[in-house]
Amino acid sequence: MFTPETLKIGVALVRVDDGRLLVTWNDNWGAFALPMSKCGAYGTREETPAVAAVRAAAEALVRPCRAVPGGAEVVIRKVQLSARDGELRNYDLTVVPVEVHPDYAPPVLDHRPVVLAQPGQLLAEAVQPVSDSMKPIMEALLENGQL
């Protein structure tokens, strides 16, 4: 029986006070997406999804970030055909509430392509183009009461 490769991905859910979410431009996908990264993307060390999500947010904002204390993680498991290489994969996506570390806030948003959008805009795909991974993540967050 064929068992597709499993990738563990940390997804950063960065909110601002008015409920908007941070999405960033991903050159590899040619689309906007929540900041996310494969666990251990920069080496062979073990990395938790929470650490990968914090790293992805820090890369997008160029600011020290941290997991929101007491924030609830949402795990989404799905099998999907990779648009990048056409391979079928199991994705274990862990969505982690992340914030800019208070000692380094507020974030400066004019240094790279980031957008703050309302969840409804992302669900309705009013922000274009968005990655194929966005809608299932947003729907799972809505279903889990995270949006």
Side-chain angles (χ1 to χ4, degrees), residues 62-137:
V62 192
R63 292 279 183 278
C65 293
R66 67 180 186 183
V68 173
E73 297 180 0
V74 175
V75 178
I76 304 162
R77 291 184 173 86
K78 65 180 185 164
V79 176
Q80 182 176 327
L81 193 64
S82 169
R84 185 177 54 82
D85 62 12
E87 294 290 324
L88 190 63
R89 291 197 176 87
N90 284 319
Y91 288 93
D92 282 354
L93 303 158
T94 302
V95 182
V96 179
V98 174
E99 64 186 3
V100 174
H101 190 285
D103 293 345
Y104 301 93
V108 177
L109 299 177
D110 61 357
H111 61 280
R112 74 172 277 159
V114 295
V115 172
L116 294 172
Q118 292 292 342
Q121 291 174 303
L122 296 171
L123 280 164
E125 298 182 22
V127 176
Q128 289 291 327
V130 294
S131 75
D132 292 338
S133 63
M134 283 287 290
K135 193 164 189 172
I137 292 171

